[in-house]
Amino acid sequence: MGEGTLRKRKGEDNGKEDGQSIQSQEPQTMNLQKEAKNFFFSPLRSPGICMIVGTIIGSGIFVSPKSVLANVGAVGPCLTIWAACGILATLGALCFAELGTMITKSGGEYPYLMEAFGPIPAFLFSWTSLFVTKPSSFAIICLSFAEYASAPFYPGCDPPQAVIKCLAAAAIVVITIVNSLSVKLGSYLQNFLTAAKMIIVTIIIVSGIVLLAQGKTENFKDSFKDSKISVSSISLAFYNGLWAYDGWNQLNYITEELKNPYRNLPLSIIIGIPLVTVCYVLINIAYFTVMTSTELLQSQAVAVTFGDRVLYPASWIVPLFVAFSTIGSANGTCFTAGRLVYVAGREGHMLKVLSYISVKRLTPAPAIIFYGAIAIIYIIPGDIDTLINYFSFAVWMFYGLTILALIVMRFTRKELRRPIRIPIVIPVIVTLVSILLVLAPIISAPELAYLYCVLFILSGLIFYVLFVHFTFSWPQKISKSITMHLQMLLEVVPAEEVTE
């Protein structure tokens, strides 16, 4: 519903004595379809390749190099892991391409799990995304921003954790407010920050190529010496590397917006993700031209150290543009936050008010505010490495389950039209790798964080039984009361799907 129509409607309601209010039994609705396209995709109307590159490249490449190297111990395995992560992301994205063109529904993995396995796995996915993967991703990116933004003010030492956490929390609050208040403002901010992101990536890659041409190759000699290779270390290295590639499945959120998706979706994946892989490998090579493995591990902010050694006296541009890049990723995460919540709320799998849209601002304000609040909670006790392991463990459980759904539907849903049909060996490989990534750290280096994550995911079954399956009257009364009061407080109404 356009703003003019909405104002007219509000005017008509004000002229009626018994006009319907936003807390009535049948709340007014508004058309999400056009506004959702504006909200979710306005900065991404360039071809799918640009979307993949712009979405994936973010904070990960400035944070993960240290963690990947720490787990494998040497330059050679480190670069191999980065390339292997790119290959795995490409194979996973091809699997999602078949799913996205076979089941053209919004919500990413949610509709695929619903079609293949029914409502319970789909609910657990939305539950996990709502409380674990999306907010922890938001928190990781903002912590990365805080580290790089504060590093120039503490030369020669690490910034205090209190400063990092407070700055990260402030970033979350600002981004949440911006995206809750205005679709266009969030879109303009994203366009600017995406441009800044590509500038810093280009600067680092070009500088690395120049240094290699000058003969700075001593750190690549005996590159596999002193490596520590085990199933656990490789899995944890993959966790950190794949975090930098996260976003490879984002085209599935805009399948309907792509022109000729049956051609452009796989083409964008085949070109876009390998392009990101090449960029990531070249950036890591650039780091190693000026830093030994030990120096890279000791650096609090790897790109800042690179800038200090290569670009001085203009080294200040590195932390500035890296901060822009990371805050851009955080803004993009928040920018797309409401889509899954909206779909789950429409299916009755989430508190309805989280899928509502602001009457005045036409933004999914409740979902955005909720994500921001949970992300701040994650920031308080967590550090980046712990949160990445926590995030990756949870997200690869559902990536694996979703790709298993593709295999299952090859046999159970043969009637579905498949414009893109990949060889069955690809989803089999990705599913097996997903199982390995999930189980290896638990078996080789068990931590309580993994147990807490599994227990929290399974605790969603309690809420499913109470609020979805049996629909007891008392939870419904509580939910209805909360929804009504939040509607009045935030001035939000349900979205209305319109078939064009």
Side-chain angles (χ1 to χ4, degrees):
M1 179 182 295
E3 290 187 33
T5 307
L6 188 60
R7 282 195 291 268
K8 181 180 177 183
R9 178 174 174 174
K10 288 169 69 178
E12 291 173 353
D13 286 350
N14 289 339
K16 296 179 182 179
E17 187 172 338
D18 297 323
Q20 184 177 329
S21 63
I22 60 174
Q23 70 267 28
S24 63
Q25 293 290 330
E26 296 179 359
Q28 72 182 84
T29 60
M30 58 183 291
N31 180 6
L32 177 70
Q33 190 166 356
K34 291 181 181 178
E35 294 305 325
K37 289 179 182 178
N38 290 336
F39 178 77
F40 294 107
F41 310 125
S42 61
L44 303 173
R45 285 174 180 163
S46 52
I49 297 171
C50 296
M51 181 200 168
I52 286 179
V53 174
T55 304
I56 293 178
I57 297 178
S59 67
I61 189 56
F62 307 114
V63 174
S64 295
K66 193 164 82 169
S67 301
V68 173
L69 180 62
N71 281 295
V72 294
V75 175
C78 178
L79 296 177
T80 303
I81 290 290
W82 280 103
C85 287
I87 294 171
L88 180 60
T90 303
L91 296 179
L94 288 173
C95 296
F96 272 64
E98 178 174 329
L99 286 166
T101 53
M102 179 175 65
I103 302 171
T104 55
K105 294 181 181 179
S106 299
E109 294 90 329
Y110 183 89
Y112 314 145
L113 294 171
M114 178 74 82
E115 289 287 339
F117 303 120
I120 292 179
F123 175 84
L124 290 179
F125 167 74
S126 60
W127 167 265
T128 305
S129 295
L130 189 65
F131 288 100
V132 179
T133 57
K134 298 291 185 183
S136 63
S137 173
F138 197 8
I140 292 165
I141 296 168
C142 287
L143 283 170
S144 306
F145 159 77
E147 283 195 355
Y148 273 93
S150 58
F153 299 98
Y154 296 90
C157 64
D158 295 344
Q161 284 298 307
V163 171
I164 292 175
K165 290 180 185 293
C166 288
L167 191 56
I172 290 174
V173 171
V174 170
I175 292 170
T176 300
I177 291 173
V178 166
N179 285 280
S180 297
L181 291 180
S182 172
V183 172
K184 288 185 178 179
L185 183 58
S187 173
Y188 293 150
L189 179 64
Q190 188 66 17
N191 288 337
F192 168 75
L193 295 172
T194 299
K197 176 191 307 184
M198 301 316 296
I199 289 172
I200 188 59
V201 167
T202 303
I203 288 173
I204 293 175
I205 289 175
V206 171
S207 299
I209 292 173
V210 171
L211 290 168
L212 282 176
Q214 292 174 349
K216 300 283 187 179
T217 59
E218 55 271 15
N219 291 333
F220 298 99
K221 296 175 182 177
D222 297 324
S223 59
F224 284 85
K225 185 180 179 182
D226 299 326
S227 59
K228 45 181 183 180
I229 304 299
S230 68
V231 174
S232 174
S233 66
I234 291 175
S235 297
L236 292 175
F238 261 92
Y239 274 5
N240 287 277
L242 288 167
W243 156 250
Y245 285 94
D246 194 61
W248 51 264
N249 61 331
Q250 291 303 303
L251 278 182
N252 286 65
Y253 287 86
I254 63 163
T255 302
E256 297 174 37
E257 316 334 304
L258 287 174
K259 292 182 179 179
N260 191 9
Y262 306 141
R263 172 185 177 273
N264 290 334
L265 187 57
L267 189 65
S268 299
I269 290 166
I270 292 169
I271 297 175
I273 299 180
L275 180 61
V276 172
T277 305
V278 171
C279 288
Y280 279 3
V281 173
L282 288 176
I283 290 173
N284 277 275
I285 289 173
Y287 291 154
F288 286 119
T289 58
V290 294
M291 284 178 276
T292 65
S293 297
T294 303
E295 289 171 336
L296 192 144
L297 291 173
Q298 290 175 346
S299 172
Q300 175 67 15
V302 179
V304 171
T305 304
F306 177 86
D308 289 339
R309 298 188 180 188
V310 176
L311 302 174
Y312 186 83
S315 57
W316 57 270
I317 67 173
V318 175
L320 176 64
F321 278 85
V322 170
F324 283 157
S325 176
T326 51
I327 206 73
S329 296
N331 184 67
T333 299
C334 189
F335 202 74
T336 58
R339 194 56 168 171
L340 172 64
V341 180
Y342 163 71
V343 175
R346 183 181 63 190
E347 297 288 338
H349 283 184
M350 283 293 147
L351 192 64
K352 286 285 187 183
V353 73
L354 292 179
S355 66
Y356 286 6
I357 307 298
S358 171
V359 173
K360 295 180 179 178
R361 308 289 181 178
L362 304 181
T363 60
I368 294 172
I369 293 169
F370 181 83
Y371 276 126
I374 300 296
I376 289 176
I377 293 173
Y378 275 113
I379 280 175
I380 296 170
D383 61 86
I384 290 178
D385 290 338
T386 303
L387 284 173
I388 286 176
N389 290 342
Y390 183 66
F391 164 86
S392 299
F393 176 78
V395 81
W396 274 95
M397 287 177 63
F398 286 100
Y399 283 160
L401 192 61
T402 303
I403 293 168
L404 178 63
L406 172 60
I407 300 172
V408 169
M409 285 190 285
R410 284 283 182 94
F411 301 98
T412 62
R413 302 297 301 275
K414 294 180 180 180
E415 77 281 1
L416 291 176
R417 181 171 173 263
R418 291 171 170 83
I420 298 172
R421 190 182 183 94
I422 61 172
I424 191 70
V425 68
I426 293 178
V428 169
I429 290 172
V430 178
T431 302
L432 292 175
V433 172
S434 301
I435 294 171
L436 181 64
L437 286 173
V438 170
L439 294 181
I442 298 177
I443 296 171
S444 303
E447 292 184 15
L448 285 176
Y450 301 134
L451 176 62
Y452 294 152
C453 186
V454 171
L455 291 176
F456 185 83
I457 292 171
L458 294 178
S459 70
L461 292 172
I462 299 173
F463 288 84
Y464 179 83
V465 169
L466 292 177
F467 290 91
V468 179
H469 184 68
F470 288 113
T471 59
F472 293 123
S473 59
W474 62 268
Q476 297 300 317
K477 290 179 181 178
I478 296 173
S479 172
K480 189 175 181 180
S481 176
I482 293 172
T483 299
M484 182 185 72
H485 286 91
L486 287 177
Q487 270 194 274
M488 291 188 290
L489 176 66
L490 300 175
E491 295 185 333
V492 293
V493 294
E496 178 184 22
E497 282 288 345
V498 175
T499 304
E500 294 185 351

